[in-house]
Amino acid sequence: MDDDFTVLADWYRSFFTAPVNHFWETMVPEAATAADIAFLRRHLAQPPARLLDIPCGAGRHALALARAGYRVTGIDLSEDAIDRARAAGEGLSVDFRRGDMRSLDLAERFDGVLCLGNSLSYFPPEEMRAFVASLAARLANGGRLIVDTSCCAESLFPLAEEREVAFEGGTYRSAYRYDARLSLLKTKAELVLGEAVHPLLYAHYVVTSGELVRMVEAAGLKIEALHGGTEGEAFAPGLPRLLLVASL
């Protein structure tokens, strides 16, 4: 792949198309979703608590939580993802809405707010702080915020230059370039589904776990725990995932 490449600042507005959403659905095993849900239920109020899943993608977590009895609102910018979620959510207590996660037009307060995946890192730190504050503002008294990210510096470095994953029906090859001036991890990928090849460009801003903690605390929340996985282990350098739990 090229030595360097440019990624649009708003790449996420057009990135999550049907091929990409299909890829993520194919790649995540049911056991991983079940482990996520078990972790979330240990840290959230009991059903029928009100939850906000933002961004919700195609509803992988929101649907499972709704089946467990929670009242869930899911918001995502991807039209294809919301269509998939709505089709799978008939008969469940779940409300899927298409919208920009940074422009929350919600009157409700929620017992739990979930920001899962790496979506917090789509934006530079100053915008990340504003987004975290908007999530905190949606919590009811005693509510909890759970943030899930693999884009903390402690998880990423040392950085692999390339990666290739094979799955049933295709392959996903990615190359990484790091802009140290911006703390921006850029990815150039090639998704092959059958005979179709989909070139992809995306990027994530990198912060330390301490920076994320300070953002959450500045939003008026109390840090309950930093976990390095769904089994409850403490987050530490080298662990590929951070699950931050905070409360109002």
Side-chain angles (χ1 to χ4, degrees):
M1 294 191 179
D2 298 342
D3 287 341
D4 199 9
F5 44 85
T6 300
V7 181
L8 295 176
D10 61 349
W11 61 269
Y12 49 85
R13 292 192 175 278
S14 57
F15 182 83
F16 294 98
T17 57
V20 173
N21 291 330
H22 171 73
F23 166 67
W24 291 123
E25 288 178 348
T26 302
M27 281 297 296
V28 181
E30 290 184 9
T33 300
D36 285 352
I37 297 303
F39 175 88
L40 295 172
R41 294 197 65 180
R42 288 197 298 272
H43 292 279
L44 293 169
Q46 294 300 305
R50 293 183 55 84
L51 305 179
L52 174 63
D53 183 9
I54 182 166
C56 64
R60 181 166 65 93
H61 295 102
L63 291 165
L65 289 165
R67 292 187 189 103
Y70 288 95
R71 294 170 292 163
V72 186
T73 297
I75 297 176
D76 202 279
L77 188 60
S78 167
E79 183 175 4
D80 177 78
I82 289 296
D83 286 346
R84 289 169 184 261
R86 285 173 175 163
E90 280 193 53
L92 295 173
S93 183
V94 58
D95 175 17
F96 289 111
R97 310 178 191 179
R98 183 171 180 242
D100 189 325
M101 63 185 185
R102 292 182 298 170
S103 302
L104 298 182
D105 184 19
L106 295 168
E108 307 101 308
R109 293 291 186 271
F110 298 88
D111 303 301
V113 174
L114 316 176
C115 185
L116 308 176
N118 295 320
S119 45
L120 187 72
S121 295
Y122 294 174
F123 321 115
E126 61 274 15
E127 296 180 33
M128 205 182 297
R129 280 190 289 272
F131 178 53
V132 168
S134 74
L135 298 182
R138 301 269 65 82
L139 283 173
N141 287 335
R144 288 197 161 186
L145 169 69
I146 299 180
V147 174
D148 167 28
T149 181
S150 296
C151 288
C152 282
E154 294 88 344
S155 296
L156 286 171
F157 300 122
L159 182 66
E161 290 189 358
E162 293 193 5
R163 187 172 71 135
E164 184 168 342
V165 177
F167 58 95
E168 185 176 353
T171 59
Y172 190 87
R173 179 172 176 243
S174 50
Y176 309 100
R177 300 294 180 268
Y178 187 67
D179 185 336
R181 292 175 65 91
L182 299 175
S183 294
L184 181 67
L185 177 62
K186 300 183 292 183
T187 304
K188 184 174 186 178
E190 184 179 82
L191 172 61
V192 178
L193 294 172
E195 299 298 320
V197 179
H198 305 275
L200 303 169
L201 290 170
Y202 55 98
H204 295 87
Y205 285 89
V206 178
V207 297
T208 65
S209 56
E211 287 178 279
L212 182 55
V213 164
R214 288 187 286 275
M215 290 181 192
V216 172
E217 290 179 333
L221 302 183
K222 175 188 174 184
I223 301 295
E224 297 291 342
L226 300 179
H227 293 292
T230 56
E231 295 303 310
E233 58 271 39
F235 180 70
L239 293 180
R241 185 182 191 188
L242 168 64
L243 286 157
L244 180 151
V245 182
S247 63
L248 182 62

